[in-house]
């Protein structure tokens, strides 16, 4: 999640102060990724350092306002245009947990999977319930549509995670059922022919001559 670009997008609509940016950010994303005011002001400080925002006086209540600059608008356009990089995915705690559990003999990995599946399915049901509530009236406000898009992404994400957990469990079942092939014993060597005594060979020659 890019907080800096989210704040730039909000500032493009006009000057705003820190807590106002936090409120609008959480409203736009349905508080899925809550921010604290400290994060907002830290990010604004970095944006100001990079020339993307500037202080813009105060409002009537004495709040310090920030405004986006041309550099900030250019960065925002570039952010919208370039795809999100998936070649270096963020660390996923669940994937790391399962990868570690596979190599640990003291952990029941199937129980880990089942516990996570219960949590994932419940989360998916909660998101689906929120979506149904959001669709009780056709969303027309842009903020409502933005929240609906985020909500649907969360539903798709949890559905995919549930399918992946099913796949992990099936793979582990196949792994536990597989047995190493029995080593085939080498075929027995042909019996060595018994040595013929010298006397017997000599007797045979004499018979042939007679």
């Amino acid at each position: 999640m890019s907080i800096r670009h989210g704040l730039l997008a909000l500032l493009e609509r006009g000057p705003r102060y820190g807590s106002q940016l936090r409120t609008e950010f959480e409203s736009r994303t349905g508080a899925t990724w809550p921010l604290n005011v400290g994060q907002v002001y830290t990010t604004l400080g970095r944006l100001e350092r990079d020339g993307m925002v500037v202080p813009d006086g105060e409002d009537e209540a004495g709040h310090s306002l920030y405004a986006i600059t041309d550099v900030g608008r250019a960065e925002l356009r570039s952010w919208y245009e370039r795809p999100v990089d998936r070649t270096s995915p963020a660390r996923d705690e669940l994937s790391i947990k399962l990868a570690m559990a596979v190599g640990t003999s003291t952990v029941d990995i199937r129980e880990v999977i089942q516990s996570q599946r219960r949590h994932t399915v419940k989360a998916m049901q909660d998101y689906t319930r929120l979506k149904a509530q959001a669709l009780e009236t056709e969303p027309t406000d842009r903020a409502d549509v933005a929240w609906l898009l985020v909500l649907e992404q969360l539903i798709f994400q949890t559905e995919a995670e549930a399918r992946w957990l099913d796949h992990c469990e099936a793979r582990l079942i196949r792994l536990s059922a597989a047995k190493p092939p029995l080593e085939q014993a080498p075929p027995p060597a042909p019996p060595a022919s018994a040595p013929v005594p010298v006397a017997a060979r000599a007797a045979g020659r004499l018979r042939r001559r007679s």
Side-chain angles (χ1 to χ4, degrees):
M1 178 186 61
S2 178
I3 297 175
R4 58 191 271 123
H5 292 104
L7 297 185
L8 287 175
L10 294 173
L11 288 172
E12 192 180 34
R13 301 173 60 188
R16 280 161 171 72
Y17 55 90
S19 58
Q20 184 181 15
L21 287 167
R22 183 196 64 178
T23 300
E24 291 190 16
F25 184 95
E26 292 184 352
S27 175
R28 190 75 64 89
T29 61
T32 303
W33 302 285
L35 299 177
N36 59 56
V37 174
Q39 278 180 293
V40 173
Y41 278 108
T42 298
T43 305
L44 287 171
R46 292 172 180 164
L47 290 171
E48 183 181 359
R49 177 201 63 194
D50 296 337
M52 298 184 189
V53 304
V54 291
D56 193 44
E58 297 180 348
D59 65 4
E60 295 178 354
H63 297 116
S64 298
L65 299 173
Y66 289 84
I68 191 171
T69 65
D70 290 340
V71 175
R73 288 190 177 87
E75 173 60 24
L76 184 61
R77 284 196 302 272
S78 176
W79 180 60
Y80 281 135
E81 291 168 359
R82 65 177 178 265
V84 175
D85 184 14
R86 298 301 187 194
T87 57
S88 299
R91 293 182 183 90
D92 180 77
E93 182 180 355
L94 178 56
S95 298
I96 294 173
K97 181 188 289 188
L98 294 187
M100 295 299 113
V102 167
T104 306
S105 60
T106 58
V107 174
D108 185 349
I109 188 170
R110 293 186 64 183
E111 178 56 34
V112 174
I113 291 174
Q114 290 169 6
S115 174
Q116 182 64 44
R117 184 190 289 111
R118 289 192 291 270
H119 175 81
T120 301
V121 169
K122 182 180 183 306
M124 181 169 56
Q125 292 170 343
D126 291 341
Y127 294 146
T128 303
R129 190 178 306 111
L130 287 173
K131 179 182 176 181
Q133 293 173 359
L135 291 176
E136 288 177 357
T137 58
E138 185 65 25
T140 55
D141 183 80
R142 286 182 177 270
D144 292 339
V145 173
W147 160 229
L148 188 59
L149 292 176
V150 171
L151 192 55
E152 288 172 335
Q153 191 272 344
L154 293 171
I155 293 172
F156 294 146
Q157 190 175 52
T158 50
E159 286 176 345
E161 183 170 283
R163 291 196 301 272
W164 177 67
L165 289 168
D166 291 341
H167 168 78
C168 290
E169 186 171 34
R171 182 174 291 281
L172 289 169
I173 291 173
R174 291 196 301 270
L175 179 65
S176 61
K179 295 180 180 179
L182 296 175
E183 295 184 3
Q184 294 183 352
S193 50
V196 181
V198 176
R201 292 201 301 270
R205 293 194 191 99
L206 290 174
R207 284 197 296 272
R208 285 196 297 274
R209 288 177 182 174
S210 61

